[in-house]
């Protein structure tokens, strides 16, 4: 990673501000469409994602096209200086297609073919659907490829889900044939003899199903991998004409997160998908002001996902969707309180977004999303509180365009792995409800977030060498290759932290035999010999630096070899035995945290490492709990976002003079931030 470089992900050197625009719902209301264009200017918006669900409007009958309305939208948006992110429409298809070609319909895990309806429900394998999407995509590329408003491609929408039709079964078998040279190696990888599950002909293989095979971990894992690969393959098929006709226009598809707790999207391996995209974009819908966590806790989770998605390409990303106020699909759809829209949007920019985009520009009048927040409400009024907050944010984004393209160099990395998460969740063992891999990573991230230390959340095939500290919590599945890369990282001077339930199975989900992997034993100087899983209300403690820290869910019994004990257990049959260990290995050092410990332990433990490794926050701003300071850096300047994620005033202390990018004020010393206030300041490096 080159520090301090700029990467413009699109041709725009300004912050994109706008969002999903669905004029196809209003084609008989030219007055509304005219209002849209006027209101876009008042809202200080400049970029619109168009055509996402417009297939029925673009091709009302098979082979009969209607692009005129879209021509006008392109011209009108360009007429006010705006840009278009053009979507391919495969996220939802016209009814005529499902009726004429039923193979495009998805089949669920119970092998029930779905009826036409809703969206995001096509078969990813269907040759007909692939042909139809390519055809419409080519027409779109040919018609709009040269339009000066075209900024980026939005391929489909939120790819997800899976299909179990006979075409997909065949594709899965072919995928397996590519992966395994013969059935013998497949049976070995899937541990076939268990319960007589040995496969003697490829045709016996079926995707996992609640009414069929669902206990073979290797099959389940390969199916998840196949679903990712097949989704990417579908995407690659979609972009063939697009790359042919408009090679210079970047391509993205919008990634997701899993709400309620806000963790990365689980169903697809985005580390693989990222390699096929020019730009990462994602849709963020945190439940602000909820009744189960503090605003700061939620902000920390958002920061984690941002840092993961930013790190996928080590470049800025695009926030493709967010709501200016409320959503319609949470259990309770609460409005963002005044100030939260600006704060939550600026957090996105602080962590690497070069845009604030919304779902949706205008509220629809009918159907499922008519109560979802939008910039323009049913009142069509620019006096609307939400509209005003959007316009205010737009004005601020115009003032901070220097931030575009900058990144967040970091000395610390946390490793996130989709495959390991799948395998761990599929394992019948440990605590079925307490595995919580993504949430566990977020608890490790928390200390750094609280201390304003930037973190890259990286994936296993990324380069480790530039980081002073690499944290690998709960890496249940780890291949020999990754183990060897971790070993090289430590040997050449890196500091590696690993936790309980790591290094248990290989890439086939087969356990390592003979105790822990020999290389791990060597670099950690110890062997985890037993994992004790506790009931959710069981508690134990560890003693670290003379203080006691609460432990729950998991405790590893450790056999010490060369390692040193850093903390020991307080109770139970392993009382007084090592709970946390450290080991010097060649030029580097390792730490093993054997138990799930409370946040205060992480604060104490990581503060020690931060000091030892001379890791610094990216800006020196003193503040209390719930304030987050995040920095984007260019060669010339640091752009510092000081954000108050609490419901009270907070005084922060600026240790050097800076300029407020919005008001132009010079600031130094004590500055009071009101509830939810954010200040964006710049500090020149010279
Ligand atoms: C997204 C989707 C949008 C809209 C939005 C509502 O997941 O891409 O089309 O449905 O949710 O929050």
């Amino acid at each position: 990673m080159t520090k301090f470089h700029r990467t413009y992900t699109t041709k725009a050197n300004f912050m994109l501000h706008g969002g999903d625009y669905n004029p196809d719902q209003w084609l008989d209301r030219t007055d509304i469409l005219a209002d849209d264009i006027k209101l876009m200017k008042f809202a200080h918006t400049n970029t619109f994602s168009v055509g996402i669900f417009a297939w029925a409007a673009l091709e009302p009958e098979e082979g009969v096209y209607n692009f005129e309305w879209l021509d006008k939208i392109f011209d009108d948006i360009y007429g006010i200086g705006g840009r278009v992110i053009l979507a391919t429409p495969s996220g939802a298809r016209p009814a005529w297609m499902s009726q004429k070609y039923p193979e495009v319909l998805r089949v669920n895990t119970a092998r029930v073919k779905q009826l036409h309806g809703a969206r995001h429900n096509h078969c990813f394998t269907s040759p007909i659907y692939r042909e139809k999407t390519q055809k419409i995509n080519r027409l779109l590329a040919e018609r709009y490829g040269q339009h000066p408003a075209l900024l980026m491609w939005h391929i489909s929408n939120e790819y997800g889900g899976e299909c179990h039709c006979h075409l997909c079964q065949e594709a899965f078998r072919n995928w397996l044939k590519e992966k395994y040279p013969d059935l013998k190696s497949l049976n070995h990888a899937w541990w076939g003899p268990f319960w007589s599950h040995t496969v003697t002909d490829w045709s016996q293989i079926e995707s996992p199903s609640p009414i069929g095979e669902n206990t073979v971990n290797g099959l389940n894992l390969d199916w998840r991998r196949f679903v990712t690969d097949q989704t990417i393959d579908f995407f690659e098929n979609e972009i063939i004409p697009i790359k042919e006709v408009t090679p210079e226009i970047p391509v993205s598809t919008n990634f997701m997160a899993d709400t309620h707790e806000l963790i990365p999207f689980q169903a697809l391996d985005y580390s693989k998908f990222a390699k096929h995209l020019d730009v990462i974009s994602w849709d963020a819908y945190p439940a602000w002001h909820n009744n189960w966590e503090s605003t700061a806790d939620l902000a920390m989770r958002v920061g984690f996902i941002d840092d993961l998605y930013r790190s996928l390409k080590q470049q800025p990303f695009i926030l493709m969707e967010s709501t200016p106020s409320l959503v319609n699909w949470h259990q309770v759809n609460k409005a963002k309180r005044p100030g939260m829209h600006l704060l939550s949007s600026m957090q996105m920019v602080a962590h690497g977004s070069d845009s604030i985009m919304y779902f949706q520009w205008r509220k629809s009048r009918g159907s499922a999303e008519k109560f979802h927040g939008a910039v323009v409400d049913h009142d069509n009024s620019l006096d609307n509180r939400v509209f005003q907050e959007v316009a205010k944010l737009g004005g601020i984004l115009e003032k901070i365009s220097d931030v575009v393209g900058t990144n967040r160099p970091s000395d610390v990395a946390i490793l996130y792995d989709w495959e390991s998460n799948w395998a761990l969740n599929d394992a019948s063992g440990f605590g079925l409800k307490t595995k919580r891999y993504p949430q566990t990573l977020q608890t490790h991230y928390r200390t750094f977030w609280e201390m304003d230390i930037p973190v890259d959340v990286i994936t296993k095939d990324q380069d480790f060498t530039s980081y002073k500290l690499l944290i690998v919590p709960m890496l249940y599945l780890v291949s020999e290759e990754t183990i060897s890369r971790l070993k090289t990282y430590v040997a050449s001077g890196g500091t590696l932290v690993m936790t309980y339930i790591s290094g248990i199975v290989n890439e086939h989900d087969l356990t390592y035999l003979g105790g822990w992997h020999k290389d791990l034993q060597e670099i950690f100087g110890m062997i985890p010999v037993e994992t004790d899983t506790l009931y959710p209300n069981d508690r134990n403690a560890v003693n670290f630096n003379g203080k006691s820290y609460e432990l729950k869910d998991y405790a590893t019994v450790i056999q010490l070899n060369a390692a040193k004990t850093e903390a020991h257990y307080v109770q139970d049959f392993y009382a007084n035995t090592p709970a946390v260990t450290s080991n010097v290995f060649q030029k580097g050092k390792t730490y093993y945290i054997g138990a799930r410990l409370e946040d205060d332990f992480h604060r104490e433990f990581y503060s020690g490492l931060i000091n030892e490794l001379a890791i610094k926050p990216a800006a020196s701003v003193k503040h209390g709990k719930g304030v987050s300071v995040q920095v984007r850096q260019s060669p010339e300047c640091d752009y510092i976002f000081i954000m108050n994620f609490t419901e009270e005033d907070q005084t922060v202390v600026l240790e050097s003079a800076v300029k407020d990018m919005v008001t132009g004020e010079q600031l130094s010393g004590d500055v009071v931030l009101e509830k939810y206030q954010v200040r964006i300041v710049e500090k020149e490096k010279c």
Side-chain angles (χ1 to χ4, degrees), residues 53 119 157-158 254 283 285 321 327 329 359 369 372:
F53 299 113
R119 60 174 174 172
N157 191 63
E158 295 190 337
N254 43 347
D283 301 344
Y285 293 103
E321 292 180 24
V327 298
W329 49 271
F359 180 84
E369 293 187 321
H372 193 291

Side-chain angles (χ1 to χ4, degrees), residues 33-87:
L33 297 180
D35 282 352
D36 282 335
I37 297 297
K38 276 189 230 143
L39 290 170
M40 284 170 184
K41 287 202 81 167
F42 288 121
H44 291 268
T45 48
N46 54 40
T47 303
F48 295 90
S49 311
V50 179
I52 299 175
F53 299 113
W55 204 336
L58 293 169
E59 192 180 358
E61 285 171 50
E62 188 171 16
V64 176
Y65 299 99
N66 177 6
F67 291 112
E68 284 72 29
W69 64 270
L70 189 52
D71 296 348
K72 178 159 167 46
I73 296 295
F74 258 87
D75 292 345
D76 287 352
I77 290 177
Y78 192 61
I80 54 163
R83 297 285 185 278
V84 172
I85 296 178
L86 183 56

Side-chain angles (χ1 to χ4, degrees), residues 143-181:
R143 195 162 183 112
Y144 302 106
Q146 297 308 315
H147 198 291
L150 181 63
L151 190 65
M152 188 162 88
W153 285 101
H154 180 300
I155 306 299
S156 198
N157 191 63
E158 295 190 337
Y159 284 117
E162 53 194 60
C163 175
H164 297 256
C165 73
H166 70 281
L167 294 166
C168 288
Q169 301 295 345
E170 213 35 53
F172 181 43
R173 289 180 201 118
N174 290 336
W175 183 93
L176 291 168
K177 284 181 194 162
E178 287 276 307
K179 175 165 182 176
Y180 298 102

Side-chain angles (χ1 to χ4, degrees), residues 476-490:
Y476 167 75
L477 176 151
V478 57
S479 65
E480 298 257 2
E481 190 201 332
T482 305
I483 291 175
S484 132
R485 291 185 52 231
L486 291 172
K487 188 173 177 183
T488 310
Y489 166 73
V490 182

Side-chain angles (χ1 to χ4, degrees), residues 652-671:
V652 303
V653 187
L654 302 170
E655 293 189 345
S656 48
V658 292
K659 186 173 126 200
D660 188 305
M661 292 180 79
V662 181
T663 63
E665 276 171 274
Q666 291 292 333
L667 299 174
S668 60
D670 286 11
V671 174

